[in-house]
């Protein structure tokens, strides 16, 4: 995946608060019109990075360029960047309309132009009937749309969204996700989203940067990060995964044979460049990439186990299977057929065989 | 982009200088040799000596302390009752009048409170022969009345902030409402009662205007004594008295602050320990 | 005895808790207050106590209220009181607002110390705080000499002074009022400002506002309840002030508090003293209602915005 034409360039940016290094040597480029997500747990530095883009924090070292301009000496109020705050930060003493119009005060517009822009924004977020309401008279979802309209009214080059969906309930969240994407497409503004929720990042963003302890661990499109994680942290952070230590026995072509003590056997996995025989590695398996059956299947990688626990969700089931070495593995199975009376292909304490493709096994070297 | 709010800091420096320069000046001049209180004539502690040998000051202080102790204690009991009433008893006959009566004295100009009580006491003495002479009793009654409403405010606000579910839990566990009040509510609001008492105590100790109306011959509280002396102009022994009061208050406040921060630190440490040991 | 206990357990405890403070306030607050109101329409007599109703005089005598509007003494007293109180309130606001705002901007440990320093003068004697300024403003004090020197340095020869006449002026009254009432302004304002969400400031900056514009558009409008609450907390007691004007004020232009006290003690005109008192109270009704309305708002500022 090649990066799109850089619009935001973050070069070697670090931020220290006293002895605490919140952001450490981050290098990123974000393309024009892209939805870019900064994903990580709390305290990973994603919010600090966002605040540096907005201008509320100054980098301790490194530079930030937006549309080719160095932002070092640009105050927050002069940046072509607007933010949708996590708490929405709606001015409680102004009506919906006044909130949206607030940023336009600083632009040379006639009253008519301003009213037109506000009307346009109200229509964009479908709040026209609520224009005169005060913030405490509208719902949480509506407030969020006010925050969005207010930030977009000044036609920023970049819109920063801090945990845009965190405060919404589950149903509204899905709806809003698609609405945000459609608004982004219509306006063409570059979105930078900060989130701790991997699903949110994966559905919203074109590309994701996974952050941990102030560092960017991996950058790429959602599928790349999910299917080809480059570290145990990224593999574990995005989606569910089971990991086992192993050792490379033999390399043949693009297949690596790996001895996995937890599975008491040798298994084939797609090799990585730079892998050497005898190297200690970690093998990671996603639950949905493992097949489960009560008879021994004809496959390259097969391991026998016993069902310890299972959760039945109707359309699918999650199994926890004890491996020969005593460790547990998670297996996700779609209940495609009415396999047995209980509706499950296997039951508690059943002996089962697990199998997976060599291409599905992820080798991690860190 | 955090910049130092230079303007605000400048005003704050000016403001705190404004607060404390007069007090510091008073302290310095309490050690003044000269009888002219505003002209420096060398260092001396003689005004402290003359203060301590002044019987009048001692008697006035003792009277003030007696009044403050009695009135603060009764005001705390009455104020707590009124605070509980406002916070917990939503419906009773005359609630509007009641809430009016606990707010009005807070903002009533002191002169008016003073003269209304004086007229009241005078008429009462005319009709029923009590209070025969104004003094300790009348001052104490007046102080209770206008300091209890401060206690009420403190208790009321504490009770509205308090988590009501603990009272409901007590009721759920079989306590009758008055037992809930005794076993749960009162212990929880006890810090508010203490600060209410302290407030009432200092208000009483500090009062000039109301005392000056309802006092009688021979009952001179410390503020009334200072008032009568200060009316005549600046005198060095009042500087000495002021210094002692400021020192006493300062020590008490610093001590209280230290004790409070120590208790807070200990509480935090215990909390941290509890989290660690419980996982 | 048993009946008493069962009464206590059923509803007696509740009736006692309501009843005792109710009775107390009725006796020592409401009745004295009503007596003053009644006294204001009585007629002054040379008897003891010096008032009466009826007889050769009208039963209800409103003459006193008429005098309020015709005699210069009262008109001047009211004007002086309200002016002094209003000017003192404005100065308290001008000094107190930046201080309260500054308190919200300093680090937490500093904030506690500085708040303590604001409250500390409260705990020392009010009378002594007034007295401290008497020492500073007096003719020969270092403070007065310093100001006099500065004055003489600036003005032409013809205007030089031996000392600046500060004592016994309205200026002195206002200065000392600002000094003693400033904490009443700072504390409610601080409570109000401290509750404002700093994210709103960032949002305004993000939308293109410079710091001053942020203050004007976001901070100031949200602190109006605090300004009003603090302002009334200064204005109301300042208007009825007795101690400060009697110690540092101009004796020839007394304030209302002084008039009430003099009418009562010196002139022994109880009805007129009561009339002036009632008039003062009526004037304070407006500010009091303003205060009551905004005090709640100031303490819960921004709360309505939180989900």
């Amino acid at each position: 995946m090649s990066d799109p034409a850089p619009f935001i360039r973050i070069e070697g940016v670090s931020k220290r608060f006293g002895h605490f290094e919140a952001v450490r040597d981050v290098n990123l480029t974000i393309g024009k019109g892209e939805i870019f997500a900064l994903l990580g747990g709390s305290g990973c530095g994603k919010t600090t990075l966002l605040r540096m883009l907005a201008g509320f924090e100054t980098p301790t070292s490194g530079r930030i360029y937006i549309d080719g301009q160095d932002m070092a000496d640009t105050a927050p109020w002069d940046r072509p960047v607007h933010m949708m705050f996590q708490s929405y930060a709606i001015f409680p003493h102004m009506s919906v309309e006044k909130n949206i119009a607030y940023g336009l005060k600083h632009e040379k517009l006639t009253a008519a132009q301003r009213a037109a822009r506000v009307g346009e924004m109200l229509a964009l977020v479908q709040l026209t009937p609520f224009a005169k309401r005060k913030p405490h008279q509208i719902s949480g979802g509506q407030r969020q749309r006010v925050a969005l309209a207010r930030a977009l009214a000044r036609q920023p080059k970049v819109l920063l969204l801090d945990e845009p969906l965190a405060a919404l309930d589950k149903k509204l969240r899905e709806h809003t996700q698609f609405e945000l994407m459609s608004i982004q497409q219509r306006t063409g503004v570059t979105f930078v989203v900060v989130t701790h929720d991997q699903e949110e990042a994966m559905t919203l963003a074109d590309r994701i940067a996974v952050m941990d302890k102030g560092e960017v661990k991996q950058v790429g499109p959602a599928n790349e990060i999910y299917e080809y994680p480059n570290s145990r942290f990224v593999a574990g952070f995005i989606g569910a995964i089971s990991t086992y230590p192993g050792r490379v026995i033999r390399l043949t072509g693009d297949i690596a044979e790996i001895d996995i003590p937890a599975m008491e056997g040798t298994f084939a996995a797609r090799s990585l460049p730079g892998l050497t025989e005898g190297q200690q590695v970690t093998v990671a398996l996603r639950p949905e990439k493992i097949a489960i059956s009560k008879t021994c299947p004809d496959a390259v990688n097969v391991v026998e186990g016993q069902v310890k626990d299972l959760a039945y969700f109707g359309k699918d089931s999650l199994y926890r299977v004890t491996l020969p070495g005593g460790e547990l593995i998670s297996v996700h199975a779609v209940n495609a057929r009415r396999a047995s009376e209980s509706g499950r292909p296997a039951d508690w304490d059943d002996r089962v065989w697990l199998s997976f493709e060599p291409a599905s096994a992820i080798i991690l070297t860190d | 982009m955090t910049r130092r709010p230079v303007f605000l800091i400048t005003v704050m420096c000016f403001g705190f200088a404004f607060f404390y320069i007069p007090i510091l000046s008073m302290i310095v001049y309490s050690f003044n040799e000269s009888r002219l209180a505003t002209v420096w004539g060398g260092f001396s502690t003689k005004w402290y000596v003359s203060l301590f040998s002044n019987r009048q000051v001692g008697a006035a202080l003792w009277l003030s302390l007696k009044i403050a102790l009695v009135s603060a204690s009764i005001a705390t009991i009455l104020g707590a009752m009124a605070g509980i009433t406002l916070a917990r008893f939503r419906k009773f006959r005359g609630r509007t009048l009641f809430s009016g009566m606990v707010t009005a004295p807070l903002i009533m100009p002191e002169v008016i409170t003073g003269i209304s009580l004086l007229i009241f006491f005078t008429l009462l003495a005319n009709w029923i022969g009590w209070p025969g002479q104004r003094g300790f009793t009348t001052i104490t009654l007046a102080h209770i009345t206008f300091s209890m409403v401060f206690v009420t405010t403190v208790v009321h606000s504490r009770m509205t902030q308090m988590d009501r579910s603990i009272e409901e839990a007590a009721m759920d566990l079989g306590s009758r409402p008055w037992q809930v009040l005794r076993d749960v509510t009162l212990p929880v609001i006890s810090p508010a009662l203490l600060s209410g008492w302290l407030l009432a105590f200092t208000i009483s100790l500090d009062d000039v205007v109301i005392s000056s109306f309802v006092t009688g011959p021979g009952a001179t509280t410390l503020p009334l004594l200072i008032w009568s002396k200060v009316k005549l102009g600046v005198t060095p022994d009042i500087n000495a008295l002021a210094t002692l009061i400021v020192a006493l208050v300062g020590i008490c406040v610093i001590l209280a602050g230290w004790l409070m921060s120590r208790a807070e630190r200990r509480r935090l440490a215990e909390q941290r320990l509890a989290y660690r040991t419980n996982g | 005895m048993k009946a008493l206990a069962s009464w206590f357990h059923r509803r007696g405890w509740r009736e006692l808790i309501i009843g005792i403070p109710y009775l107390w306030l009725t006796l020592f607050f409401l009745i004295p207050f009503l007596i003053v109101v009644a006294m204001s329409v009585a007629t002054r007599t040379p008897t003891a106590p010096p008032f009466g109703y009826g007889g050769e005089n009208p039963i209800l005598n409103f003459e006193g209220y008429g005098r309020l509007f015709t005699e210069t003494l009262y008109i001047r007293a009211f004007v002086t009181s309200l002016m002094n109180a209003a000017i003192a309130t404005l100065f308290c606001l001008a000094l107190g607002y930046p201080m309260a705002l500054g308190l919200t901007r300093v680090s937490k440990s500093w904030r506690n110390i500085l708040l303590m320093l604001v409250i500390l003068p409260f705990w020392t004697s009010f009378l002594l705080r007034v007295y401290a300024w008497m020492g500073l403003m007096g003719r020969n004090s270092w403070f007065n000499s310093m100001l006099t020197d500065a004055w003489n340095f600036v003005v032409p020869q013809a205007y030089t002074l031996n000392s600046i006449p500060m004592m016994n002026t309205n200026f002195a009254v206002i200065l000392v009022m600002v000094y003693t009432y400033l904490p009443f302004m700072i504390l409610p304002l601080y409570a109000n400002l401290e509750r404002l969400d700093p994210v709103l400031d960032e949002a305004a900056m993000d939308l293109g506002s410079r710091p001053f514009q942020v203050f004007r558009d976001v901070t100031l409008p949200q602190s109006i309840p605090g300004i009003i609450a603090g302002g009334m907390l200064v204005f109301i007691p300042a208007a009825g002030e007795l101690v400060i004007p009697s110690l540092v004020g101009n004796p020839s232009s007394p304030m209302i508090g002084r008039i009430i006290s003099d009418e009562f003690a010196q002139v022994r005109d109880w009805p007129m003293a009561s009339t002036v008192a009632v008039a003062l109270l009526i004037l304070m009704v407006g500010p009091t209602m303003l205060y009551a309305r905004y005090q709640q708002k100031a303490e819960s500022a921004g709360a309505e915005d939180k989900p």
Side-chain angles (χ1 to χ4, degrees):
Chain A
M1 260 271 163
S2 66
D3 288 351
F7 186 65
I8 302 173
R9 284 206 330 269
I10 299 171
E11 292 183 354
V13 165
S14 297
K15 175 72 186 176
R16 260 190 302 278
F17 296 105
H19 292 296
F20 174 66
E21 200 161 32
V23 171
R24 192 181 313 161
D25 192 28
V26 166
N27 291 285
L28 282 174
T29 55
I30 300 169
K32 193 173 172 65
E34 198 177 14
I35 302 187
F36 190 88
L38 296 168
L39 174 64
S42 65
C44 73
K46 58 188 192 299
T47 302
T48 308
L49 193 57
L50 192 77
R51 289 172 61 80
M52 286 194 282
L53 282 172
F56 297 129
E57 308 286 355
T58 339
T60 312
S61 61
R63 304 215 157 263
I64 294 174
Y65 299 89
I66 295 173
D67 201 7
Q69 275 186 310
D70 188 349
M71 288 287 128
D73 297 320
T74 312
W77 46 89
D78 288 327
R79 295 196 182 201
V81 170
H82 295 322
M83 172 121 111
M84 198 177 94
F85 291 82
Q86 183 176 8
S87 63
Y88 310 146
I90 309 282
F91 303 127
H93 55 295
M94 298 181 193
S95 65
V96 165
E97 200 176 41
K98 292 252 169 63
N99 261 285
I100 296 175
Y102 184 76
L104 300 175
K105 272 173 67 151
H106 309 291
E107 284 182 16
K108 289 196 186 72
L109 292 177
T110 64
Q113 280 171 320
R114 192 174 306 158
R117 185 86 68 80
V118 172
E120 207 178 290
M121 285 301 135
L122 282 166
L124 182 73
V125 296
Q126 297 156 21
L127 280 177
T128 314
F130 301 96
K132 304 278 181 213
R133 296 261 186 109
K134 280 288 182 79
H136 64 272
Q137 296 168 318
I138 58 176
S139 72
Q142 289 167 333
R143 277 189 219 187
Q144 192 212 30
R145 282 185 274 154
V146 175
L148 180 64
R150 185 179 69 180
L152 286 173
R154 284 193 78 191
Q155 300 172 332
K157 290 178 177 168
V158 179
L159 183 71
L160 308 174
L161 301 98
D162 189 1
E163 302 278 2
L165 307 174
L168 303 178
D169 59 47
K170 200 172 175 226
K171 223 170 170 184
L172 200 54
R173 194 178 304 179
E174 259 169 47
H175 174 77
T176 310
Q177 221 161 47
F178 290 111
E179 202 171 69
L180 278 178
M181 288 162 78
S182 103
I183 284 174
Q184 194 273 337
Q185 268 163 17
R186 270 181 283 164
T187 54
V189 175
T190 307
F191 278 24
V192 178
V193 183
V194 151
T195 177
H196 68 278
D197 181 337
Q198 41 124 345
E199 262 181 57
E200 187 177 316
M202 288 172 73
T203 40
L204 266 178
D206 300 321
R207 287 192 310 143
I208 299 171
V210 183
M211 291 186 70
D212 180 42
K213 297 191 184 110
E215 286 177 343
V216 172
K217 291 288 190 184
Q218 190 173 359
V219 187
N223 61 324
E224 195 179 299
I225 287 186
Y226 187 79
E227 303 291 357
Y228 301 96
N230 63 3
S231 61
R232 270 187 291 172
F233 175 80
V234 175
F237 193 81
I238 309 262
I241 206 152
S242 310
T243 56
Y244 307 95
R247 196 165 59 86
V248 181
I249 301 292
R250 196 181 320 136
L251 291 165
T252 43
D254 65 343
I255 293 294
E257 278 178 48
I258 296 169
D259 173 46
I260 303 174
M263 297 187 183
E264 290 183 354
T266 306
F267 296 86
R270 176 179 291 169
S271 178
L272 294 178
L275 219 54
T276 57
E277 286 180 6
Q279 190 178 351
Q280 291 292 337
V281 292
T282 302
V283 175
L285 287 164
R286 298 225 180 255
E288 77 278 7
K289 301 232 159 54
I290 302 169
I292 183 168
S293 66
K294 279 163 88 170
T295 51
C296 186
D298 179 25
V300 184
N301 296 320
V302 181
V303 60
E304 201 185 350
Q306 187 177 22
V307 176
K308 178 167 190 279
D309 231 334
L310 74 84
Y312 176 67
F313 301 119
K315 67 178 195 305
D316 48 20
S317 300
L318 185 69
Y319 294 85
R320 307 265 283 158
V321 177
T322 315
L323 291 173
E327 286 182 67
L328 289 172
I329 188 166
S330 296
V331 179
H332 207 149
V334 176
N335 299 328
R337 297 178 293 141
R338 291 169 68 179
S340 68
E341 265 176 46
S342 63
R344 299 181 279 259
D347 232 315
W348 276 276
D349 295 333
D350 279 353
R351 301 295 307 172
V352 288
W353 281 266
L354 308 176
S355 58
F356 55 91
E357 300 284 312
S360 300
I362 304 161
I363 299 173
L364 300 166
T365 52
D366 72 326
Chain B
M1 188 76 56
T2 42
R3 14 182 101 196
R4 295 210 147 267
V6 179
F7 171 73
L8 295 181
I9 287 175
T10 315
V11 178
M12 268 165 72
C13 290
F14 176 79
F16 283 109
F18 178 61
F19 270 137
Y20 284 96
I21 282 177
I23 293 175
L24 287 178
S25 168
M26 199 159 64
I27 292 173
V28 170
Y29 276 88
S30 74
F31 296 103
N32 188 4
E33 167 76 38
S34 164
R35 166 151 278 291
L36 290 167
T38 53
V39 182
W40 185 252
F43 181 86
S44 157
T45 53
K46 68 177 182 189
W47 303 113
Y48 289 88
V49 176
S50 93
L51 191 70
F52 281 116
S53 55
N54 190 332
R55 281 270 176 95
Q56 245 187 329
V57 173
L61 177 65
W62 177 232
L63 180 67
S64 278
L65 285 176
K66 271 196 299 190
I67 292 173
L69 250 141
V70 175
S71 70
S73 304
I74 299 177
T76 305
I77 296 169
L78 289 171
M81 285 175 160
I84 291 166
T85 300
L86 282 182
R88 290 294 181 265
F89 303 142
R90 294 257 140 254
K91 270 194 221 141
F92 60 89
R93 236 177 303 136
R95 192 187 145 92
T96 320
L97 177 66
F98 186 74
S99 59
M101 283 198 299
V102 296
T103 342
L106 287 175
I107 33 190
M108 180 86 96
E110 286 175 313
V111 195
I112 298 178
T113 311
I115 136 169
S116 69
L117 280 169
L118 173 53
I119 294 176
F120 174 70
F121 286 137
T122 316
L123 294 184
L124 213 58
N126 264 20
W127 293 334
I128 62 167
W130 181 89
Q133 199 179 40
R134 290 191 298 276
F136 175 81
T137 314
T138 48
I139 298 177
T140 308
L141 287 174
H143 284 193
I144 293 169
T145 308
F146 79 92
S147 59
M148 72 169 273
V149 295
F150 286 91
V151 181
T152 305
T153 316
V154 173
V155 171
H156 182 199
S157 81
R158 178 69 191 91
M159 284 190 69
T160 47
Q161 285 162 14
M162 166 179 171
D163 180 6
R164 286 215 62 178
S165 60
I166 61 168
E167 290 179 337
E168 285 161 359
M171 258 184 267
D172 185 59
L173 294 168
S175 289
R176 288 154 171 278
W178 72 271
Q179 291 167 324
V180 174
L181 187 71
R182 185 193 59 196
D183 301 338
V184 177
T185 316
L186 277 181
V188 170
I189 63 168
S190 59
L193 294 181
L194 180 66
S195 56
W197 187 89
L198 272 174
L199 190 61
F201 185 79
T202 42
I203 287 173
S204 166
L205 216 51
D206 199 21
D207 174 66
V208 203
V209 176
I210 294 172
S211 302
S212 77
F213 280 102
V214 297
T215 188
T220 311
T221 63
L222 190 60
L224 286 178
L225 180 73
I226 299 173
W227 166 245
S228 67
K229 293 194 87 170
V230 161
K231 268 184 193 164
L232 304 174
V234 178
T235 60
D237 49 344
I238 297 292
N239 282 338
L241 182 62
T243 304
L244 289 178
I245 291 177
V246 169
L248 191 70
V249 169
I251 289 168
C252 288
V253 167
I254 290 168
L255 205 67
W258 181 72
L259 284 175
M260 259 155 52
S261 77
R262 203 182 61 161
E264 176 69 15
R265 265 205 307 276
R266 185 173 300 168
R267 204 178 59 81
L268 282 175
E270 280 169 2
Q271 219 168 42
R272 226 173 288 136
L273 198 70
Y275 278 125
R276 208 175 297 148
T277 47
N278 300 340
Chain C
M1 198 59 219
K2 220 173 154 200
L4 197 69
S6 105
W7 170 81
F8 177 82
H9 285 271
R10 254 186 311 117
R11 43 174 240 271
W13 65 278
R14 185 173 184 271
E15 281 171 14
L16 285 178
I17 287 177
I18 302 176
I20 293 171
Y22 209 129
L23 205 69
W24 185 284
L25 285 172
T26 308
L27 190 60
F28 292 109
F29 177 73
L30 188 62
I31 291 177
F33 173 70
L34 292 177
I35 290 175
V36 169
V37 176
M39 183 74 71
S40 74
V41 290
T43 308
R44 183 186 178 199
T45 60
T47 56
F51 72 99
Y53 292 95
E56 55 212 72
N57 303 303
I59 296 175
L60 296 182
N61 188 344
F62 289 98
E63 200 190 309
Y65 287 96
R67 285 170 66 193
L68 289 179
F69 294 98
T70 48
E71 287 183 26
T72 2
L73 175 71
Y74 303 118
I75 299 172
R76 273 192 61 184
F78 274 103
V79 171
T80 314
S81 296
L82 296 182
M83 283 272 286
N84 285 353
I87 295 170
T89 306
L90 286 180
F91 276 107
C92 277
L93 181 64
L95 188 55
Y97 198 106
M99 286 182 77
L101 192 60
L103 280 171
T104 67
R105 299 286 160 86
V106 297
S107 69
K108 193 129 181 86
S109 48
W110 266 105
R111 193 185 296 188
N112 287 338
I113 294 170
L114 294 180
L115 266 177
M116 187 59 91
L117 285 177
V118 172
I119 301 168
L120 197 62
F122 261 146
W123 297 85
T124 66
S125 162
F126 167 78
L127 204 50
L128 290 178
R129 275 180 289 149
V130 180
Y131 171 77
W133 273 101
M134 294 173 67
L136 286 189
M137 291 190 297
R139 216 159 262 291
N140 301 313
S141 73
W142 65 267
F143 182 71
N144 198 327
S145 323
M146 198 178 76
L147 286 187
T148 309
D149 290 345
W151 169 266
N152 291 346
F153 185 76
V154 174
V155 298
Q157 193 91 47
Y159 295 96
T160 54
L161 295 168
N162 285 329
S163 70
I164 296 178
M166 279 193 281
M167 279 295 284
N168 305 325
T169 59
N170 272 336
F171 166 78
V173 172
I174 291 165
L175 178 70
V176 177
M177 277 180 178
V178 172
Y179 182 69
T180 47
Y181 290 126
L182 188 56
F184 289 109
M185 178 64 93
I186 294 178
L187 294 176
L189 261 177
Y190 169 75
N192 187 164
L193 290 169
E194 194 239 5
R195 277 171 173 77
L196 301 185
D197 188 353
V199 171
L200 294 179
D201 291 10
E202 288 186 352
M205 265 188 242
D206 186 66
L207 292 165
S209 294
R210 279 146 201 290
F212 177 73
Q213 292 166 321
V214 174
F215 170 75
R216 190 194 57 198
D217 298 340
V218 177
T219 313
L220 189 61
Q222 290 189 89
S223 63
I224 284 173
I227 295 176
I228 291 176
M232 292 307 110
L233 222 46
V234 174
F235 182 81
I236 295 168
E241 186 53 58
L242 176 65
V243 174
I244 296 171
S246 79
L247 288 181
V248 302
N250 179 355
S252 64
S253 75
M255 285 175 58
I256 309 171
R258 179 70 179 281
I259 296 279
I260 295 174
S261 147
D262 283 356
E263 289 287 348
F264 192 83
Q266 255 82 54
V267 190
R268 284 190 67 72
D269 189 345
W270 289 17
M272 195 57 208
S274 303
T275 306
V276 179
V278 171
L280 175 62
L281 273 182
I282 292 171
L283 278 177
M284 290 305 121
V285 166
T288 305
M289 289 187 30
L290 265 181
Y291 171 71
R293 225 182 112 202
Y294 282 95
Q295 184 239 0
Q296 288 280 314
K297 270 198 192 171
E299 280 173 14
S300 63
E304 59 180 3
D305 187 44
K306 278 169 195 126

